[in-house]
Amino acid sequence: MINSGRSDSILIRPWQEGDDQAVWDVLKEGSYSNVNSTFVLCLKRIEIRIIGLVLISSLLICDSPLTHFFLCFTLLLIVVYILSYLSAVIYLYGSTLSDLRDIQTSYLSNVDNHFWVALYDGQIVGTIAITRKPDKLKGSPDDSSSKTDEFRKVAWLRRMAVKKRYRGLGIAKKLVKDCVIFCKKNNYDSIFLITTEIHNAARSLYSSLGFEMLASCKPYRYGPVTIKTYEFQMKL
């Protein structure tokens, strides 16, 4: 069992050559750890409820035995879970994480960008990154993006993840605080980030550290599933 009081065992350092596999493992575990949350979210969707009602109605009309009800709903749950799992796979192996294929070029070839890893007892268990935010982001609504236009230089906080076993130790907070220090030193005017409705703990963390929500955005396609995104910003 991990001792939550051992803050001295947490070290935040810049990415180094040879960290790629460990970084990938963190992001991969983070994505797969969202499968259950995505599954629960899907079950709450109106579309799934309508499908369930249609199944019930059809079975009642056909006067089907109770076992048919059980089999149909079991099949529906299996299909929804597979879609939730497939979403994580597509996120990992699609184009979304293309920046991780060459972290040196993506994050360390420009003084305004950076990539950190968090170590616990010498093992990489968390990641976070900063790049300069482009003028427009795909899927970002114009009204929220315009709120960042007032700032000359906006940082984009990305790739924040902590392995599930090591959550609750303050690692994510340390990662974000190091990003804030970096951004201040590099004369950023604000820090921008995007998170989703399945990342409740992350949204609470950002709010507690002084980030304000800019907008609740249009649903983002997470593989075959759509999820709501939220944009946050911290003024520096």
Side-chain angles (χ1 to χ4, degrees):
M1 184 174 178
I2 297 173
N3 185 349
S4 60
R6 293 181 56 195
S7 60
D8 58 320
S9 297
I10 303 170
L11 171 67
I12 310 298
R13 66 160 173 80
W15 173 90
Q16 299 174 357
E17 288 188 16
D19 288 343
D20 286 7
Q21 184 58 52
V23 166
W24 174 251
D25 290 341
V26 171
L27 272 297
K28 182 170 65 174
E29 184 189 287
S31 182
Y32 286 134
S33 70
N34 292 325
V35 171
N36 288 342
S37 297
T38 306
F39 173 65
V40 172
L41 185 69
C42 288
L43 292 180
K44 295 178 180 179
R45 296 290 194 225
I46 186 65
E47 297 90 341
I48 300 300
R49 295 183 180 184
I50 290 174
I51 292 173
L53 288 174
V54 170
L55 281 174
I56 292 174
S57 301
S58 300
L59 292 171
L60 287 173
I61 291 172
C62 297
D63 196 23
S64 299
L66 186 61
T67 54
H68 287 187
F69 281 86
F70 176 77
L71 290 174
C72 286
F73 276 100
T74 300
L75 180 60
L76 177 61
L77 292 176
I78 291 173
V79 170
V80 173
Y81 192 86
I82 289 174
L83 290 176
S84 303
Y85 186 86
L86 186 60
S87 296
V89 173
I90 292 174
Y91 174 79
L92 284 169
Y93 297 99
S95 60
T96 308
L97 300 183
S98 59
D99 53 294
L100 298 181
R101 295 169 189 164
D102 189 349
I103 294 176
Q104 175 67 45
T105 300
S106 299
Y107 293 101
L108 299 176
S109 61
N110 186 317
V111 294
D112 285 334
N113 304 341
H114 207 54
F115 196 104
W116 296 263
V117 296
L119 288 81
Y120 188 91
D121 284 346
Q123 178 184 349
I124 293 177
V125 299
T127 64
I128 202 166
I130 285 289
T131 61
R132 186 164 182 171
K133 179 182 176 293
D135 292 336
K136 296 292 181 182
L137 287 175
K138 184 178 180 181
S140 179
D142 293 337
D143 58 343
S144 66
S145 295
S146 65
K147 295 176 184 178
T148 66
D149 292 342
E150 61 184 289
F151 300 103
R152 178 181 59 85
K153 190 176 180 182
V154 180
W156 182 14
L157 189 153
R158 313 181 71 195
R159 306 304 174 228
M160 207 278 278
V162 176
K163 283 190 172 182
K164 188 173 183 178
R165 183 187 176 200
Y166 298 90
R167 295 171 188 171
L169 303 179
I171 295 173
K173 182 178 290 187
K174 282 179 174 286
L175 284 166
V176 175
K177 285 185 175 180
D178 272 29
C179 282
V180 172
I181 293 171
F182 171 85
C183 291
K184 288 180 177 179
K185 287 182 178 179
N186 282 269
N187 300 313
Y188 277 109
D189 300 306
S190 68
I191 304 174
F192 171 88
L193 65 89
I194 302 174
T195 187
T196 76
E197 61 182 320
I198 62 176
H199 296 96
N200 295 318
R203 296 203 309 277
S204 297
L205 171 66
Y206 296 135
S207 296
S208 71
L209 291 175
F211 285 84
E212 296 181 358
M213 191 173 76
L214 292 179
S216 173
C217 309
K218 296 178 180 179
Y220 163 75
R221 182 159 291 280
Y222 181 53
V225 177
T226 56
I227 55 177
K228 184 184 294 184
T229 58
Y230 299 89
E231 297 187 351
F232 283 77
Q233 180 175 265
M234 173 191 283
K235 299 178 182 179
L236 300 177

